[in-house]
Amino acid sequence: MSSFMQQIAGLDAVALARRLIGARLTVRGAGGTIIETEAYAPDDPASHSHRGPTPRNASMFGPAGHAYVYRSYGIHLCLNVVATPGAAVLIRALDPDTGLDLMRARRPAPPLCSGPGRLTQALDIRPDDDGAAFDGPDFGIVLAAAVPDLLVGPRIGINRAQDLPWRFGLAGAAGLSRPFPRARPDR
């Protein structure tokens, strides 16, 4: 088991979403710092896992530290990190700093990684990345030594359980997908 998977073992989606802020995400030579996440739990009516396992959401019920990749509205892919069975964290934004030329070639119009669809396009996330482990140099996450100051707010882009404060952002970061309603740091 990789260091990342050992570090996140047993974390629920909310705890993992908080812990991923400030982590380094690298995908095939491109990446940066995760600056925005959203948590989704099995008992959450906005979660793909709410009604149980299906062929589409099977990765959400797989091992922690693996990718759950799905197509949103038939248009763009979204990248999630599996927490506990049926729980996952959507990566909403990244502060890109590695492989910028690769990302700009894949996504010529700025911003590069502000929002889940832009992020997956810039990182060249593919449908066959679904289920991949975040444990290597080509597809990996390295957690920050300490959890930075966080912004906390309701999730966005959903129509169920919108009031849950399960969206997290890096305090002071530029490139968030949308501003937080009350931009005050929370530990």
Side-chain angles (χ1 to χ4, degrees), residues 24 47 92 96 100-101 110 115 121 138 144 146 163 165 170:
R24 299 260 329 137
S47 179
R92 290 198 58 85
L100 293 173
D101 290 340
Q121 185 180 12
D138 287 337
D163 57 332
L170 179 62

Side-chain angles (χ1 to χ4, degrees), residues 40-41 47-49 57-62 67-68 82-88 130:
Y40 291 87
S47 179
H48 291 172
S49 64
N57 71 13
S59 293
M60 281 187 85
F61 293 90
Y68 168 49
V82 175
T84 55
D130 186 42

Side-chain angles (χ1 to χ4, degrees), residues 131-146:
F134 286 103
D135 66 352
D138 287 337
F139 203 84
I141 294 176
V142 176
L143 296 176

Side-chain angles (χ1 to χ4, degrees), residues 2 17 27 39 42 48 55-56 66 78 95-97 108 112 115 124 136 139 146 170 172 174 179 183:
S2 77
V27 178
H48 291 172
R56 179 184 186 217
H66 285 65
C78 290
D95 180 14
D97 62 13
L112 281 178
D124 190 30
F139 203 84
L170 179 62

Side-chain angles (χ1 to χ4, degrees), residues 90-165:
L90 174 64
I91 308 298
R92 290 198 58 85
L94 184 79
D95 180 14
D97 62 13
T98 303
L100 293 173
D101 290 340
L102 286 171
M103 287 192 262
R104 287 185 189 113
R106 297 169 184 150
R107 184 170 169 67
L112 281 178
C113 298
S114 175
R118 293 178 184 128
L119 179 147
T120 57
Q121 185 180 12
L123 292 178
D124 190 30
I125 298 298
R126 307 165 187 163
D128 63 348
D129 290 328
D130 186 42
F134 286 103
D135 66 352
D138 287 337
F139 203 84
I141 294 176
V142 176
L143 296 176
V147 178
D149 287 339
L150 301 177
L151 301 172
V152 179
R155 297 176 298 182
I156 54 179
I158 57 174
N159 55 18
R160 293 184 195 124
Q162 296 168 326
D163 57 332
L164 292 174

